[in-house]
Amino acid sequence: MSAITLENIHKSYGRTGPDAIGNLSMEIGASEFLCLLGPSGCGKTTTLRMIAGLEHPTDGRILVDGKPIVSVSEGIFTLPEKRNMGLVFQNYALWPHMTIRDNVAFGLTLRKMPAAERDAIIDQVMTKLGIARYAQRYPAQLSGGQQQRVALARMLALNPSVILLDEPLSNLDAKLRLEMRAELKRIHAEAGSTIVFVTHDQWEAMTLATTIAVMSEGELQQIGTPDDIYERPANRFVAEFVGSLPINVIERGEDEPGPLRAWLGRLLVHFGVDAATVASAGIRPEATRLGVLSEEEVAKRAAGQGTIVDIVPTGGSWIVELDIEESRFFAIATENPRMKAGERTHFWVEREQLHLFDREKKRIAP
């Protein structure tokens, strides 16, 4: 399978406008499942389209296995059909007048592959994806999940060295999304292809990818394993973007500190942190512990105290909203907290769960 290298990629849609992509460099290893993750407009789809050859970078180079397929300075541009890459769009792009079998066969037919060989590949791929029974139907006769499988089958029939997926699951309902996530993981495990997957859904990225690249405003914020991204965010943007419930952020301002800031000050002293370097701190709701403590335990844990505003059950966990003298703070309990709105409770966090950031909003190493 193929490794992909992006070197100093710039993409601008106008001479005077800002870059859609600014100085992007990235290594995508062979057989890696990389998710480009970020909010709308961050440049992730533009990056994918440049890898596919549907967009031309303004500057920089793209290499596959060390050989340039795009180099603006050298005038190199390999046509999309020569890159041996498969692309699945968000809207599937199936031919409505063709049967499912003909849709899957489309790329192989263009390659003028012998009929017997082509039929064998089509049968194998359609059987693997569970769509062989729909061979003589048309796209309009299938559900969204089934159409998604047809789009994947059409791409996999070509046996590409690189698979490019542009938010292919965003049109599916929750149940089908879970099924297709499992399907994609199975395809990656069996085929070993290099996969680049664009999504704005953080949990999609966390559950599918071996590597996640977080982007914002055309710039790479952090690249690493899902654990790296979640447990060691490189900056405030990554910390605030990744997480099913947003991270609690406490600013250390120069004005009246208030009880939440005062608690953070005590916490920094308790953990032996140089407070002068800290501009803000983040605490994930699921890392926050709750309970009524004795005075000795409060001192031992440097715990704060707040009033419960609401408790929301979510099935396997409970979201607890705290009021700390007009500041809101959220916690997630994995066991029923057995408390009610209006009650007072203590809250605390372990040292390794405290994320600290400097004035430039960059992570401060422990």
Side-chain angles (χ1 to χ4, degrees):
M1 296 299 109
S2 298
I4 304 169
T5 304
L6 280 68
E7 293 182 354
N8 307 117
I9 295 294
H10 290 259
K11 176 62 180 178
S12 177
Y13 291 101
R15 293 183 178 180
T16 58
D19 284 345
I21 302 292
N23 198 33
L24 175 63
S25 294
M26 188 189 309
E27 293 278 350
I28 304 171
S31 298
E32 192 166 66
F33 196 134
L34 176 100
C35 273
L36 293 172
L37 175 66
S40 297
C42 72
K44 55 189 185 294
T45 294
T46 300
T47 301
L48 187 85
R49 290 172 64 86
M50 286 191 290
I51 295 172
L54 303 181
E55 296 269 5
H56 293 248
T58 308
D59 199 7
R61 298 202 308 164
I62 301 175
L63 301 92
V64 174
D65 292 333
K67 298 178 181 178
I69 58 171
V70 176
S71 176
V72 176
S73 61
E74 299 172 274
I76 297 173
F77 182 82
T78 303
L79 294 173
E81 61 268 26
K82 302 292 185 183
R83 299 187 183 193
N84 193 26
M85 297 181 180
L87 177 61
V88 176
F89 297 95
Q90 183 177 350
N91 62 0
Y92 315 146
L94 301 178
W95 295 107
H97 65 288
M98 291 183 178
T99 65
I100 298 309
R101 187 177 184 84
D102 289 341
N103 265 282
V104 175
F106 184 73
L108 298 178
T109 303
L110 289 180
R111 289 185 176 181
K112 296 182 171 39
M113 179 177 287
E117 185 180 350
R118 182 182 67 223
D119 288 344
I121 292 173
I122 294 168
D123 290 341
Q124 182 184 31
V125 170
M126 292 183 69
T127 300
K128 276 188 175 181
L129 289 177
I131 56 173
R133 73 184 79 171
Y134 311 124
Q136 299 308 314
R137 294 189 190 181
Y138 292 88
Q141 296 174 306
L142 302 186
S143 68
Q146 291 163 347
Q147 289 185 43
Q148 179 63 77
R149 291 175 190 271
V150 175
L152 283 169
R154 180 181 58 188
M155 178 267 297
L156 291 172
L158 297 171
N159 193 29
S161 60
V162 176
I163 296 174
L164 306 174
L165 306 170
D166 187 8
E167 299 202 47
L169 310 185
S170 59
N171 293 333
L172 306 181
D173 61 35
K175 182 175 182 294
L176 283 173
R177 288 181 82 145
L178 285 173
E179 290 179 3
M180 289 309 302
R181 286 177 195 173
E183 193 67 48
L184 287 173
K185 292 195 81 164
R186 184 187 67 78
I187 289 169
H188 181 248
E190 289 183 359
S193 300
T194 304
I195 298 179
V196 182
F197 185 103
V198 164
T199 184
H200 64 271
D201 186 324
Q202 54 184 293
W203 287 116
E204 210 160 78
M206 295 289 286
T207 55
L208 281 172
T210 57
T211 304
I212 297 174
V214 184
M215 297 183 67
S216 175
E217 298 182 351
E219 295 185 357
L220 181 65
Q221 301 295 312
Q222 185 176 358
I223 185 168
T225 66
D227 286 344
D228 287 336
I229 299 296
Y230 183 79
E231 296 173 3
R232 292 171 290 278
N235 54 43
R236 275 268 302 270
F237 174 83
V238 176
E240 293 181 72
F241 187 78
V242 177
S244 60
L245 198 64
I247 193 170
N248 298 295
V249 175
I250 308 171
E251 302 278 0
R252 296 193 69 241
E254 299 296 330
D255 54 354
E256 183 67 26
L260 197 56
R261 289 178 179 174
W263 171 70
L264 176 60
R266 295 196 306 274
L267 198 64
L268 295 177
V269 172
H270 179 72
F271 289 140
V273 176
D274 180 8
T277 64
V278 178
S280 61
I283 300 169
R284 296 202 180 278
E286 53 271 32
T288 305
R289 301 292 177 260
L290 299 173
V292 178
L293 304 178
S294 65
E295 290 187 11
E296 182 181 350
E297 289 174 319
V298 167
K300 181 180 178 181
R301 301 177 186 275
Q305 192 174 33
T307 302
I308 296 173
V309 175
D310 196 13
I311 299 176
V312 180
T314 61
S317 60
W318 290 258
I319 298 174
V320 182
E321 181 182 358
L322 298 176
D323 175 68
I324 305 168
E325 295 189 25
E326 299 186 356
S327 293
R328 285 295 184 265
F329 195 91
F330 290 88
I332 295 179
T334 55
E335 296 181 1
N336 193 328
R338 306 294 180 187
M339 293 183 283
K340 297 179 181 179
E343 293 183 2
R344 299 281 285 174
T345 185
H346 293 102
F347 62 94
W348 65 95
V349 66
E350 302 299 332
R351 173 65 184 88
E352 61 272 15
Q353 300 291 347
L354 182 65
H355 302 284
L356 303 176
F357 305 98
D358 62 19
R359 289 177 178 80
E360 284 72 45
K361 298 186 177 181
K362 294 181 180 179
R363 179 178 181 82
I364 298 173

